[in-house]
């Protein structure tokens, strides 16, 4: 919880366990920036590498914001790019987003996909601003926001993460 960026190290020779997923979930719940390192990569045959990549995508799909690096701690390969991703994740977690740009990104997201109707009304998203850092928090103001489904909230999180290039950090969206 005190870390700015967490490096989750997984062993390539072992399956991704429930404990690995649980620790990753704890990192996301704490709102920490994250980089995933898969160690002992050099020892895997090509077929096993493909299977491991599919398993990572399936079992840790909730870490879509995190960069994954395949490293060898013994040989020292992949450590440089890993550390660059740690720096980038820290920069993304601490980034300051100007209110006009956040509001413009919100309007672009709504223009691309409006929130679903809730009965006779459609929720109106008026403006947005940054509400905090580490993790970045975006506060959206509007009407009937309590009717916005979680799927639309996830859409807004992905849209804002892409719009501001916030790779390596979770993004929190709040409605007021």
């Amino acid at each position: 919880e005190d870390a700015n960026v967490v490096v989750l190290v997984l062993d390539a020779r072992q399956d991704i366990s429930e404990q690995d997923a649980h620790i990753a979930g704890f990192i996301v719940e704490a709102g920490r920036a994250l980089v995933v390192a898969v160690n002992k990569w050099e020892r895997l045959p090509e077929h096993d590498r493909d299977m491991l990549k599919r398993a990572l995508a399936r079992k840790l799909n909730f870490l879509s914001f995190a960069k994954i690096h395949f490293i060898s701690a013994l040989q020292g390969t992949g450590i440089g790019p890993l550390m660059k991703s740690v720096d980038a994740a820290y920069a993304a977690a601490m980034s300051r987003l100007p209110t006009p740009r956040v509001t413009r990104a919100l309007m672009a997201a709504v223009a691309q996909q409006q929130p679903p109707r809730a009965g006779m009304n459609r929720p109106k998203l008026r403006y947005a601003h940054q509400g905090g850092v580490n993790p970045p928090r975006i506060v959206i103001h509007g009407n009937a926001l309590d009717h916005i489904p979680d799927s639309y909230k996830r859409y807004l999180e992905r849209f804002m993460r892409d719009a501001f290039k916030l790779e390596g950090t979770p993004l929190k969206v709040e409605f007021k």
Side-chain angles (χ1 to χ4, degrees), residues 35 41 49 57 59 61 73 80 83 90 108-109 113 132 148 152 154:
V35 179
W41 183 249
R49 289 180 182 192
K59 293 182 180 178
N61 64 343
M83 295 312 292
Y90 177 77
Q113 176 68 46
I148 292 182
Y152 194 77
R154 286 190 303 272

Side-chain angles (χ1 to χ4, degrees), residues 4-139:
N4 288 318
V5 180
V6 177
V7 178
L8 177 63
V9 181
L10 303 174
D11 190 335
R13 296 181 303 168
Q14 296 178 355
D15 285 339
I16 299 163
S17 67
E18 287 293 321
Q19 184 176 9
D20 294 331
H22 182 74
I23 291 170
F26 180 72
I27 295 166
V28 172
E29 292 273 329
R32 300 297 113 199
L34 174 67
V35 179
V36 178
V38 180
N39 193 22
K40 301 178 183 172
W41 183 249
E42 79 285 358
R43 297 182 182 182
L44 287 183
E46 192 64 36
H47 174 25
D48 291 345
R49 289 180 182 192
D50 292 337
M51 289 180 55
L52 179 62
K53 286 180 181 179
R54 283 195 293 273
L56 282 168
R58 187 179 66 254
K59 293 182 180 178
L60 301 178
N61 64 343
F62 61 96
L63 299 180
S64 61
F65 63 88
K67 187 94 168 153
I68 298 175
H69 289 275
F70 300 99
I71 66 169
S72 170
L74 183 65
Q75 297 175 355
T77 56
I79 303 299
L82 174 74
M83 295 312 292
K84 286 181 183 175
S85 289
V86 167
D87 291 341
Y90 177 77
M94 297 298 183
S95 63
R96 300 283 181 187
L97 310 175
T99 298
R101 285 188 59 210
V102 175
T103 300
R104 280 195 299 271
L106 174 65
M107 293 301 118
V110 170
Q112 184 175 326
Q113 176 68 46
Q114 289 190 0
R117 286 189 181 276
M120 297 296 289
N121 301 4
R122 183 181 305 274
K124 301 274 192 272
L125 309 179
R126 303 279 185 210
Y127 69 96
H129 61 87
Q130 186 172 10
V133 295
N134 200 16
R137 190 169 46 254
I138 294 179
V139 181

